[in-house]
Amino acid sequence: MKLLEINHLKKEFDGLGVIKDISLSVEQGEVISIIGPSGSGKSTLLRCATMLENMDGGELIYHGEKAAWENEKGGCTYAPKNDLKRIRKYFGLVFQNFNLFPHYSVLKNIIDAPMSVDKISKKEAMERAEKLLAQLGLTDKKDAYPYQLSGGQQQRVSIARALALQPEILFFDEPTSALDPELTGEVLKVIKELAKEHMTMIIVTHEMQFAREVSDRIIFMEDGVIQQQGTPEEIFTAPNERVKAFIGKFVG
Amino acid sequence: MNLLTMVMQLLQGMVITTEVFVLTLLFSLPLGLVVSFGRMSKNGLLRILTKFYISVMRGTPLMLQMIVVYFAPYYVFGVKIASSYRFIAVIMAFSINYAAYFAEIYRGGIEAVAVGQYEAAKVLGYNRFQTFFKIVMPQVIKHILPAVTNETITLVKDTSLAFAISVAEMFTLAKQIAAAQTTIMPLMVAGLFYYIFNLAVAAGMEALEKKLSYYR
């Protein structure tokens, strides 16, 4: 089943087309990495998919439910507020800069949204959180505050925070770009474990080796369009000219 | 008049002073938040209006504002002013004046909260009300506390302006006693009382800052 469908997405900033025409559909359990040079529109694509940016054209559909569609005026119409509220539950987003709530402890960061947004009981929220904390190796940090944690730990907490709402798709916006190489590993390991459990994920990343290992499909973006997509095999063994030049810089 | 009688009289004035202080904070702190919303509103007219309001409140003397508020009912509307209105006029004038200052402090604090905090809240599904009161406001309070302490200490001293419309707060009484007894003593004692009051305010605010220092 298609969890997410993006059709002919367009996004402009000040008349400049950042995303020109992108279509993408995501099946249950798929792990997709989006790679490409800076400014290619990768993050903007993610921000449009998570409705942090409004699209200027195209369609956004979660689980068959239309979140946004193109209107006659050539712009996008978004579904009514209550529909969007429900549609937002389908996905979670892990930010490059974590964006944890600094005044909440690790545990509170994880249980607050399930309690105040999904209105589940504290007991249930705690159970979910304890499980996630154990899974992500953070049990001994549950009473710490974000500033007391390393970047890698903070990012793992933010993954736990997103998972606590039990989304069907998890987006990652360059989850390791703010981390030094040593801490990058621990976050990538967590994402790999999630992939093993068939969590549907869309990951914008600069970690080529990681993308190759974890993804079912890799999308190479440049200048606001998808240049090439395919299995890691296809992308890494038979890249087109542009992709080859880009990957070459990383793999050498 | 012996020292004790004088101190007792001043302490009575201190009760009024404290009332002005507490009531002004009680009204101006929430009002300031509302004003800051207007100041940051997407509605251009509302933004200009609140900006003008703030500039008038900050740009003219509080004493003048207080006298205008006190006399306006008579001169503008021809209503006879009851003596009980004095105290009300002081509270009104102080509240609208301090709200303007607090509004700008709030604005600074609210604008300092990282965009990422709003984005995280949005993606997690918090509504606007929850985002503001659960995520943004606690961080704003921590951020603005030193500036609020400054304003609060100024407020303690500003209460003495109420003497201009003869509200019997501490400074008014100190001045009366000083004139009647031809001694500077009551003014010195009043000064000491203000100082002690502000020491307490500063200590209280410092304790609050400390309480909020559990995170960065």
Side-chain angles (χ1 to χ4, degrees):
Chain A
M1 185 182 51
K2 276 178 190 155
L3 287 189
L4 165 65
E5 239 183 299
I6 296 173
N7 294 320
H8 304 292
L9 167 59
K10 287 178 200 71
K11 176 67 190 173
E12 295 180 352
F13 286 116
D14 302 321
L16 213 72
V18 177
I19 295 185
K20 282 158 190 161
D21 182 357
I22 285 194
S23 297
L24 169 69
S25 77
V26 182
E27 300 282 331
Q28 173 99 50
E30 251 192 311
V31 177
I32 299 175
S33 291
I34 303 176
I35 60 171
S38 300
S40 58
K42 308 183 297 287
S43 287
T44 307
L45 172 62
L46 226 60
R47 292 175 60 82
C48 285
T50 51
M51 299 193 274
L52 287 176
E53 298 283 353
N54 285 339
M55 318 187 325
D56 293 320
E59 270 187 325
L60 179 65
I61 306 166
Y62 279 95
H63 243 233
E65 279 192 77
K66 277 194 186 178
W69 56 89
E70 204 159 304
N71 55 36
E72 298 85 38
K73 290 175 220 143
C76 264
T77 304
Y78 278 79
K81 218 174 141 189
N82 280 334
D83 291 352
L84 290 184
K85 203 177 153 187
R86 189 181 59 247
I87 291 170
R88 273 205 183 87
K89 291 185 193 298
Y90 288 130
F91 62 79
L93 171 62
V94 174
F95 295 87
Q96 180 177 346
N97 296 315
F98 331 131
N99 293 337
L100 290 173
F101 302 132
H103 57 305
Y104 284 172
S105 69
V106 166
L107 186 65
K108 178 97 169 145
N109 261 287
I110 299 171
I111 63 171
D112 195 70
M115 283 168 60
S116 50
V117 176
D118 284 353
K119 311 284 179 204
I120 71 168
S121 70
K122 182 164 188 182
K123 187 170 163 280
E124 200 185 333
M126 291 281 275
E127 280 168 12
R128 263 189 217 178
E130 303 279 353
K131 223 166 128 187
L132 285 165
L133 285 168
Q135 189 188 341
L136 300 184
L138 291 161
T139 303
D140 58 330
K141 297 289 177 201
K142 69 175 180 185
D143 295 320
Y145 284 85
Y147 80 94
Q148 296 167 314
L149 304 179
S150 73
Q153 289 165 335
Q154 288 189 54
Q155 191 59 299
R156 281 186 281 147
V157 174
S158 87
I159 293 172
R161 181 177 69 172
L163 289 173
L165 287 165
Q166 306 183 324
E168 298 191 6
I169 306 183
L170 195 51
F171 293 94
F172 292 85
D173 188 7
E174 303 197 22
T176 59
S177 292
L179 304 176
D180 61 45
E182 209 175 341
L183 300 175
T184 296
E186 67 185 56
V187 171
L188 296 184
K189 192 172 143 240
V190 165
I191 301 175
K192 277 183 197 165
E193 276 158 21
L194 289 172
K196 264 187 222 150
E197 293 166 23
H198 305 291
M199 179 78 206
T200 312
M201 293 186 284
I202 301 180
I203 309 158
V204 169
T205 184
H206 289 294
E207 300 288 331
M208 294 303 137
Q209 193 51 41
F210 163 74
R212 188 173 187 167
E213 286 168 33
V214 79
S215 318
D216 299 310
R217 179 154 47 118
I218 293 179
I219 291 175
F220 178 83
M221 263 182 81
E222 189 173 45
D223 296 332
V225 294
I226 295 177
Q227 270 269 351
Q228 189 182 2
Q229 61 176 315
T231 62
E233 268 315 286
E234 287 162 359
I235 294 288
F236 281 90
T237 55
N240 69 28
E241 277 303 301
R242 211 18 228 128
V243 180
K244 200 179 195 170
F246 179 74
I247 294 174
K249 283 185 195 132
F250 288 88
V251 187
Chain B
M1 182 186 280
N2 64 27
L3 192 65
L4 185 68
T5 333
M6 188 191 76
V7 166
M8 290 314 286
Q9 282 195 12
L10 288 180
L11 280 177
Q12 273 173 23
M14 189 65 159
V15 173
I16 308 284
T17 296
T18 310
E19 280 172 9
V20 173
F21 172 78
V22 170
L23 288 173
T24 301
L25 282 185
L26 201 67
F27 292 121
S28 63
L29 282 170
L31 186 60
L33 191 60
V34 176
V35 175
S36 80
F37 287 154
R39 179 73 181 76
M40 295 181 291
S41 165
K42 281 182 193 145
N43 182 324
L45 183 66
L46 194 58
R47 222 167 40 233
I48 289 168
L49 284 175
T50 44
K51 204 172 165 181
F52 178 68
Y53 163 77
I54 290 168
S55 86
V56 170
M57 286 298 137
R58 295 200 303 188
T60 59
L62 173 55
M63 194 191 289
L64 184 150
Q65 292 164 14
M66 192 176 61
I67 290 170
V68 167
V69 170
Y70 179 56
F71 285 113
Y74 180 73
Y75 286 117
V76 181
F77 305 106
V79 181
K80 202 169 172 296
I81 301 171
S83 66
S84 61
Y85 177 63
R86 277 187 192 148
F87 183 75
I88 296 170
V90 168
I91 301 301
M92 286 194 341
F94 272 63
S95 297
I96 59 172
N97 176 278
Y98 272 82
Y101 286 94
F102 285 136
E104 286 298 89
I105 294 175
Y106 284 128
R107 183 168 69 93
I110 291 170
E111 286 176 351
V113 172
V115 183
Q117 294 288 305
Y118 291 94
E119 294 188 340
K122 191 176 177 185
V123 172
L124 291 169
Y126 289 92
N127 62 34
R128 281 176 66 176
F129 187 83
Q130 289 170 325
T131 302
F132 188 75
F133 287 102
K134 298 193 74 143
I135 309 301
V136 176
M137 205 52 192
Q139 298 182 50
V140 169
I141 290 172
K142 181 183 166 86
H143 189 84
I144 67 175
L145 224 42
V148 170
T149 304
N150 262 341
E151 272 324 302
T152 310
I153 284 173
T154 306
L155 172 60
V156 172
K157 295 177 288 182
D158 274 356
T159 55
S160 63
L161 291 174
F163 93 94
I165 54 171
S166 306
V167 167
E169 46 70 54
M170 186 166 57
F171 181 69
T172 311
L173 293 181
K175 217 166 139 269
Q176 280 170 5
I177 301 168
Q181 310 280 325
T182 55
T183 164
I184 201 169
M185 203 52 194
L187 293 172
M188 302 300 278
V189 174
L192 184 66
F193 282 175
Y194 281 118
Y195 183 71
I196 293 170
F197 195 153
N198 268 330
L199 275 185
V201 168
M205 295 302 273
E206 202 176 316
L208 196 56
E209 270 185 55
K210 209 165 172 187
K211 198 164 170 254
L212 291 179
S213 69
Y214 68 89
Y215 75 91
R216 276 178 224 155

